[in-house]
Amino acid sequence: MVESYRPKIGVYVCDCGINIASVIDVPAVVEFASKLPGVAVSREYTYMCSDPGQNLIKEDIANEKLNRVIVASCSPRMHEPTFRKAIREAGLNPYFLEMANIREQVSWVTVDHAEATEKAKKLVEAAVAKALLLEALEEKEVDVIPSCLIIGAGIAGIQAALDIADAGFKVYLVEKTPSVGGHMAQLDKTFPTLDCSACILTPKMVDVANHPNIELMTYSQLEEISGYVGNFKAKIRKKARYVDFDKCTGCGVCAENCRLAGRIPSEFDELIGNRGAIYLPFPQAVPAKYTIDPERCLQLSKGKCGKEGPACVAACGPGAINFEQEDEMVEIEIGTVIVATGFDVFPMEKKPEYGWAENDNVITGLEFERLVSSSGPTGGKPVLGRDKKGEGGYLPEKVAFIHCVGSRDKSVGNEYCSRVCCMYLAKQAHLIRDKLPEAEITVFYMDMRAFGKGFEEFYDRVRREGVRYVRGNPSEIYRKGDDHTVVVKVEDTLTGTPMEYEADMVVLGVGLEPRKDIREIIDLFKLSQSTDGFFLEAHPKLRPVDTASDGVFLAGCCQGPKDIPDTVAQAKAAASSALILMAYGKVKVEAMVSVVSPDECRGCGFCVEVCPFGAIELVEENRMGNIVQVAFVNEALCKGCGSCAAACLSGAIQPRSFKDEQILPQIAVLGVKP
Amino acid sequence: MSEEFEPNIVAFLCNWCSYAGADLAGTSRMRYLPNVKIIRVMCSGRVNPLFLLNALQQGADGVLISGCHPGDCHYLEGNFYARRRFMLMRKLLEHVGVDPGRVNMSWVSASEGAKFADVVEETVAKAKEAGPMDQFRRRQINW
Amino acid sequence: MMDESNPYLPYIVNIEDARYETPGDRAIKTFRVTFADDKVWDTWSHSPGNCAMVGRLGVGEAMFCISSSPTEEGYLRFSIMKMGKVTRALHELETGDTMTVRGPLGNSFPMEEWEGKNIVTVGGGIGQAPLRPVINYVRANRDKYGELQVIYGSRTSEDLCFQDELGEFMTESGTSCHLSVDVEEEKWPHFVGFVPNLLMEVSPSPENAIAVTCGPPIMIKFVTQNLLKLGFAPEQIYTTLEERMKCGIGKCGRCNVGHLYVCKDGPVFSYETLKKIPEAFA
Amino acid sequence: MVDEKKLQEKARETLIRDDVRRLIGWKRGTYGFEAAPAVVTDASQAEQLIFDATCVANPASFIAIEEKKPVPRGAEPDTRKVAVMVKGCDSRAVVQQLVEKAYAREDVVVLGIPCLGVVDRRKAEKLFGQTGAQVSAKVDKEKVALDIGGDVKTVDRSNILMDKCLRCRYPNPLVSDFLLGEEVEKWADDDFADVDEFEKMSPEDKWKHWDEQFSKCIRCYSCRNVCPMCYCVECVVSKLRPQWTRRSTDISENTVYHVQRAWHLAGRCIECMECQRVCPVDIPIMTLNRKMTRDVKEMFEYEPGVDVEAEPMLACYNPQDPEEYIM
Amino acid sequence: MGDYKFARDKLADVLTSLKEYQVFAPAAVGDVLRFKEVTDPANVSLDYDNTTVPPKELMFPQTETLFKYRLGSTEVEPSVPDASKKRMVFGIRPCDAHAYSIVDNLYGWDFADPYYQKRREGTTLVGLACAEPCANCFCPSVGGGPASEKGLDALMFDLGDAYYVNSLTDKGEEFAKAAGLEAAGDADAKAAAKQGEDALKKVARSIDTAGIPEKLPSLYDHPFWEQFSDRCLGCGICTFLCPTCHCFDIQDEAEAFDARRARMWDTCMFSEYSLHTSGHNPRPTRKERTRNRISHKYSYFPEKFDVIACVGCGRCINHCPVNIDILDILDKSKQAEAKEAKTA
């Protein structure tokens, strides 16, 4: 009826041909082991890992009723899975296996045979000591919900969404702003091929909107995420647009009639162009649905718009505008998550010496993109110094481009290289040369990095187009006199000559930074940041799109600066990683997870603090009628590293099969002098 | 004394880097002293500093904790916690009069078989220096 | 008797038979043991109710009642529930192994005084263990005692100890056996409910009777109340107490309830005695 | 200095509140140079409460070690607040207990007391011998005036205050809901000279010292129990599965006990010195704690018990942590 | 029996002459006094109040091996001390000797405890009367006194230039012979008696124990216990330092394959002390434990052996870190309104 609690241990010492037997006196070890407490059988065999070797174990389990198995052979990193499988087949829980590594760590490294034999005995004894206290563990598999949440609908999010949707899985694509497209939509041309960004991006934008497997949620935000790999629950806030999504035809009459039309700086145009209070971020925006900016809209902010009420309402044929609309909370269940939240460009406030704030002809690279974009505020002409109405202005004659603004710069805390600036500045220099053949163009750089496919060639081409490259990092940029001339104070580090270069347009090659709101995501997913502040991948080389949280993957610049091809490649990688889980439909959860003994827990939360996987939380526990806080392990998140156990003062939390009570006997055996 | 004194050392190696490194030392047939006996744990962050106290009490002449290089932890942070803990525990034991040479720590990656062999030699050397650990070793006092 | 010169020295006993009474985390295992040194039997004598420290060298000892009656000769029985360090270690032992015994310890049921009386035993779960010797003593001296009523219940039918014997009681003349389980089960022919209710169901007569009860503290409490309701006088009601014990011979202190050492003055007490000692019900 | 009448008045007010369960402070002891900690539950007991330079005990200890009786089925557990009077040093215990989630801030009412130092019983008894009389003591910036059963003695405070006071960095409570008495200015500092001094010793001498000290230990665990940070449900030293420390007293187990204790307080000890004060066999326990405190401060720029928001020292790290000895 | 004396400066010689004894006398370990085996008679001094740790450890060591064995074997080897080996506790205070005579009841009761008794039999107790009682002594209240002879084989009085020795038993006589003490005169005897009377007057604290043993049980549920237990730390000071506290734990210990079963001091103030394996604790909080400690000394023990298990040495008062003063408790218990303790 009840199986015995008495440990019956089988010890199997492997000769490994001569690898072990030629150094260690195996029979002596077998003999020694046979006398250890709890040991029922102790055997030698040439190759334990061979089928006959494994059968030896299986038979003994059957005949001798063994309930613990010790294999003294090669490293557990080599054959632990093999023997686990074997004893499982024999009907014993695979975690009743303990191995003694007497090949890699004894016979192969020890000169003196007697000493080697002694060490081997010790290791076997230690294994026995631990085996006495081994426990059965169950290996769980959880189902993976066949859907994926993608956060951020830039090119990375879009690409990942399309790949997963095409594979036939449900995708929820969540975008904070009213339109998909991200930064790529703001760009004019893309280096080095110079094809128009919009032309290659917009088709994909349309696809995500129409794809039957993709549920697009723009102007929406992830508020809560719980659960674990395969089984996440997410709460998403769909912010009120104040425009009925279904009724709006995107005709734009509302915007034309808005009392504030053209009087609000447009985020999409980097504030150099304007929009109304009801707006479409940009002409090709997807979805082509208008949105009311609640902060600026007179009706919403002041509660009153003109005498005869909001003109937009009157203008809107379908009657789509609805000021009563409220935020909507959507709850979804997904199996996997891809984080593709992108980047922010370096905020020039951090580098006042470049006079960006004061001088409207000192602009960032991204502002430049809007300036030269045919769909931009200036219709593609690099006109500067226009007045409020956007009239007048001049075309620059002397243009300076500055590299490494906010990158490779300790003083602003960004040591890293942003990887795209060298090339986008080269591209932009080319565009100026294109649009203003007469202009004098000078590029101030620190080092030229043209590592990508076709980059060097492009850089060469730009230089041949008469763009002057000066090696130097400007210390200061300031206005001279009252015309629009600004001086770039810089030292030519090749010739060592200081110079004050006068320009009437300066383009700052601003770098890429982690998003200001990156914390929100970190807190939601308990992700970590690498020193540069971007998301930390699970392994820099081998798991570049995985994170410490299973089932959560990274794509695009949120993991580090990238150009478009790299971003797309990573998006596809993230997609395939997510697909692996969803296609197989199941995921194994670690069996050697930590376990809490609630009666001993003091609820200090040290374990919660140290757990790298956010697997532990404090929960209420009724202790003889008194309510106390105790630690609780979410087994699906725990990886069994055991940091919690070392942090716990009372030993109330322990990783299964590496418990204190299992390790201490090993120490006792190995500690006492041979 | 010290010439025939062979110190006994208990080592705690993380499964992913150092234990693999030790295996590599084996597969590359490097030779090192047998004094060091290895206990495998999943992460150096698992090693409770009290283990080390316990080892010394049981009669170990020295201990070694080895993990992945900072930043390479399979579990991201474990070795950072370990580093703090053992730095402190070492100081504490030193204050009680335990030779700091008995408490050793190393970063050994899976590719550093040679380094592991060196670490072993050095650890043993330091323990030899310190002599037998009998300060608060468990003996059968007035048994 | 125990080595007078040194009551801390245990006897070595051989396990003749080890079997599980009940399954589960709190499994109960019964050991039938006999002294390694036969001569011990010459000086050994115990009575129903006596206890002994049962242990395993290298682990420790704990106090258990001797669940066999002196009338069962040539062996001792212990029924042990898997609880802590020591019991865990004892459960690892099997037929052919050895364990240690110090005893007999404590007082016992005044079987002589009870002669000529009807005996009612009310047991719950493992609480039947100390009652078993009483029952078997009475069965072995049938003529000396009146009617024997065995009232016994447990959580489920699986948790009933000594099932093999329970059947016998049903058929023996002068003996009746009433069983219960706490919750409804398939094919359970007997009473369903808690032991105190079963007691009221059976409602034995206090007339010239002695009631002995043992089980979880809470059960003892309610059984005692019900016995009083049935008209049993405090001095007709007996029970056994349990406390943490180390020495078993009234030295180490910890098992006191009021001025009484359970290991020495107990484990057997009449309600008459206990009602004066508030701590007995702590 | 604190006006006792005001203090008792505040205590009374607090005890009358129906959301307050008990108040922990001090009352005059039955004899000697130390006031007794007092746990009062009824406003009528408020007049027992005192504060003067004999109030050395750390009331915060008693918040954490209170044992909750099992709540009978059906009954509601008593979740009312606990009020506690704290000196500067004691208040650090409250802060650290909050860091370690021993209770929530709203579960306690903290009555803070600015403090000019408290009397060291041992120093006093060296000076005046043991007394059966009740003692009260007033302290100002220079002197301590002791009233030993009517006969008044005045001592230079550096000769009689606890060592912790002579290096006190936090004379004013770091956390409190009500401040009893005006803040006093910081008048001492801590250079850890004692730690440096001890470190000069050779390993042999260090061990010789501890060997003698630890062999005195009777393992009464008063140092553990009095510690405001030690309130684990089951302490590792008394655990049986697994058994870290044996109960038998010998130099091995005693040493391990004390090192374990010091280790478990690394980055948590708030220097109230209670452990050393209560030791019946005068083991200089703080020597170990202060070593940890100093090193934690130097190596990790960490100081426990000063910031409620702080992460526990051993539950956080800095990628730049020192590692000079690591191979 | 006999009256003897020896000159103050002959103390070392006296000790040296006690060759056949293993002599224990108060010695300083750091700042604290404790009874230690005399290695160098020259630095034994009897000018002390009392030791922090009582000499009970000489009969009942804090850790004591009951028997040894090899793991896996069934042979056990008891390590009972050898009574024939003569030991002497020299300069023990009357209260501590009195304590032995009280604890004897417990260890002699029913099963005799050989470990304790063998030591007792083999040991001669040479007491030293207290001329200056300490602040918290109350020995007279519990049947002792600064010059009490209870449990002693001989009692010494410090008369300044000489020690007057009054031998009380044959063992005491043996000691006098072995030490070759000279006979004392009436003057000395009178001086000693005088000193005893004066000392008695100097004892500052007291309690009338009449009625306490009978009353305490009636206070079982009385809230007054909480006034004390609320600030109790639950440490072992009061009990470990108490000369009459005798509780112990038993544990098996093993080094590799050598193992022993040993007993070590335990205290009813620890929660583990009475904790059941089931998790149920009959004394769940310090209230019950404090109550048990006091009741045991002043009610349970007297009920069993009709002597109070307290000798008034004042250690528990002196060393309690939170001023839980046993006299205060007893005093309160007398004032406390007896309530009918409720039972099941």
Side-chain angles (χ1 to χ4, degrees), chain E residues 1-14:
Chain E
M1 289 185 167
D3 292 7
Y4 307 88
K5 69 190 286 183
F6 63 90
R8 189 179 197 79
D9 53 22
K10 290 274 174 294
L11 175 57
D13 308 354
V14 168

Side-chain angles (χ1 to χ4, degrees), chain C residues 46 48 66-73 75 132-134 136-137 140:
Chain C
H46 77 275
I66 303 170
S67 63
S68 56
S69 153
T71 54
E72 308 170 50
E73 282 171 17
Y75 64 86
R132 186 181 176 279
V134 177
N136 284 356
Y137 187 88

Side-chain angles (χ1 to χ4, degrees), chain A residues 233-269:
Chain A
K233 277 193 176 45
K235 267 207 187 83
I236 292 154
R237 174 185 300 279
K238 284 185 155 174
K239 287 178 280 180
R241 278 192 142 96
Y242 305 101
V243 173
D244 186 310
F245 195 86
D246 304 323
K247 290 184 184 158
C248 177
T249 62
C251 66
V253 185
C254 51
E256 292 160 17
N257 288 276
C258 176
R259 289 205 165 67
L260 297 178
R263 286 162 60 182
I264 301 168
S266 148
E267 297 79 6
F268 182 83
D269 284 334

Side-chain angles (χ1 to χ4, degrees), chain A residues 115-358:
Chain A
E115 288 176 340
T117 306
E118 280 316 302
K119 186 177 176 185
K121 286 181 184 171
K122 274 287 171 195
L123 295 186
V124 170
E125 189 182 351
V128 170
K130 181 177 181 182
L132 288 167
L133 292 132
L134 285 175
E135 296 169 329
L137 306 187
E138 71 174 306
E139 287 164 321
K140 289 201 214 79
E141 264 193 343
V142 296
D143 293 339
V144 177
I145 299 170
S147 59
C148 179
L149 167 66
I150 299 179
I151 305 159
I155 179 58
I158 290 171
Q159 185 59 56
L162 290 171
D163 287 5
I164 293 172
D166 289 344
F169 292 93
K170 178 89 183 153
V171 175
Y172 299 90
L173 181 57
V174 177
E175 167 59 40
K176 224 175 189 170
T177 68
S179 170
V180 302
H183 282 105
M184 184 173 172
Q186 293 178 281
L187 307 181
D188 179 35
K189 301 259 185 303
T190 58
F191 65 79
T193 50
L194 294 179
D195 37 11
C196 132
S197 183
C199 317
I200 56 175
L201 178 62
T202 29
K204 287 183 179 291
M205 289 165 64
V206 176
D207 290 352
V208 288
N210 303 337
H211 202 297
N213 286 342
I214 299 178
E215 183 168 337
L216 181 57
M217 304 185 193
T218 51
Y219 207 50
S220 303
Q221 219 169 327
L222 178 66
E223 296 256 309
E224 263 180 60
I225 181 109
S226 61
Y228 47 87
V229 57
N231 301 271
F232 295 102
K233 277 193 176 45
K235 267 207 187 83
I236 292 154
R237 174 185 300 279
K238 284 185 155 174
K239 287 178 280 180
R241 278 192 142 96
Y242 305 101
V243 173
D244 186 310
F245 195 86
D246 304 323
K247 290 184 184 158
C248 177
T249 62
C251 66
V253 185
C254 51
E256 292 160 17
N257 288 276
C258 176
R259 289 205 165 67
L260 297 178
R263 286 162 60 182
I264 301 168
S266 148
E267 297 79 6
F268 182 83
D269 284 334
E270 292 297 306
L271 314 181
I272 57 179
N274 294 328
R275 59 168 171 89
I278 182 164
Y279 67 104
L280 198 62
F282 55 101
Q284 313 89 323
V286 172
K289 307 283 182 182
Y290 278 73
T291 308
I292 297 180
D293 174 346
E295 275 77 46
R296 313 304 290 276
C297 170
L298 299 167
Q299 184 64 27
L300 286 170
S301 57
K302 307 237 172 350
K304 177 173 188 313
C305 175
K307 291 182 194 54
E308 57 290 335
C312 49
V313 180
C316 180
I321 295 162
N322 166 14
F323 290 111
E324 306 312 308
Q325 207 178 61
E326 283 179 351
D327 292 6
E328 182 190 346
M329 293 304 279
V330 188
E331 288 198 28
I332 57 170
E333 296 193 343
I334 58 268
T336 57
V337 180
I338 294 175
V339 178
T341 47
F343 62 93
D344 283 341
V345 294
F346 175 75
M348 282 314 296
E349 295 76 11
K350 284 207 232 156
K351 230 170 157 39
E353 62 268 35
Y354 279 4
W356 169 81
E358 303 79 51

Side-chain angles (χ1 to χ4, degrees), chain D residues 63-217:
Chain D
I63 314 174
I65 65 171
E66 181 189 359
E67 291 165 304
K68 298 264 171 58
K69 260 210 163 71
V71 181
R73 271 202 199 71
E76 276 303 304
D78 186 345
T79 54
R80 289 172 298 160
K81 299 172 193 286
V82 172
V84 61
M85 296 184 174
V86 290
K87 309 184 286 291
C89 44
D90 309 336
S91 74
R92 290 184 62 191
V94 175
V95 171
Q96 191 60 20
Q97 287 169 346
L98 287 168
V99 168
E100 300 183 8
K101 306 186 174 65
Y103 44 78
R105 181 66 182 86
E106 58 271 21
D107 297 341
V108 284
V109 180
V110 184
L111 309 179
I113 299 179
C115 166
L116 285 168
V118 286
V119 170
D120 182 329
R121 186 192 87 234
R122 291 183 177 82
K123 291 181 184 173
E125 286 181 351
K126 277 210 174 60
L127 288 168
F128 311 111
Q130 197 198 16
T131 174
Q134 292 188 316
V135 180
S136 66
K138 298 256 160 294
V139 56
D140 61 29
K141 289 189 168 46
E142 290 76 32
K143 304 220 166 303
V144 180
L146 299 117
D147 178 328
I148 307 172
D151 120 36
V152 177
K153 299 262 200 305
T154 308
V155 202
D156 203 2
R157 74 174 178 180
S158 54
N159 298 335
I160 194 165
L161 291 191
M162 297 280 288
D163 292 351
K164 68 171 175 181
C165 307
L166 300 175
R167 53 177 180 244
C168 176
R169 271 148 49 251
Y170 301 97
N172 300 304
L174 294 168
V175 53
S176 76
D177 299 302
F178 307 98
L179 208 54
L180 304 160
E182 305 73 51
E183 297 220 336
V184 298
E185 82 206 42
K186 176 163 167 290
W187 53 280
D189 209 342
D190 192 352
D191 56 4
F192 291 93
D194 52 334
V195 180
D196 302 334
E197 201 40 48
F198 190 94
E199 281 173 341
K200 292 205 188 87
M201 281 199 248
S202 70
E204 296 68 29
D205 295 352
K206 283 180 189 161
W207 175 246
K208 231 176 115 281
H209 170 84
W210 289 119
D211 192 346
E212 179 181 313
Q213 294 301 337
F214 291 153
S215 51
K216 283 192 298 187
C217 180

Side-chain angles (χ1 to χ4, degrees), chain D residues 261-282:
Chain D
R261 206 195 124 281
W263 168 251
H264 271 187
L265 283 161
R268 305 174 59 231
C269 171
I270 48 83
E271 304 254 308
C272 64
M273 245 182 121
E274 283 290 87
C275 47
Q276 185 159 326
R277 174 181 77 85
V278 303
C279 180
V281 292
D282 295 359

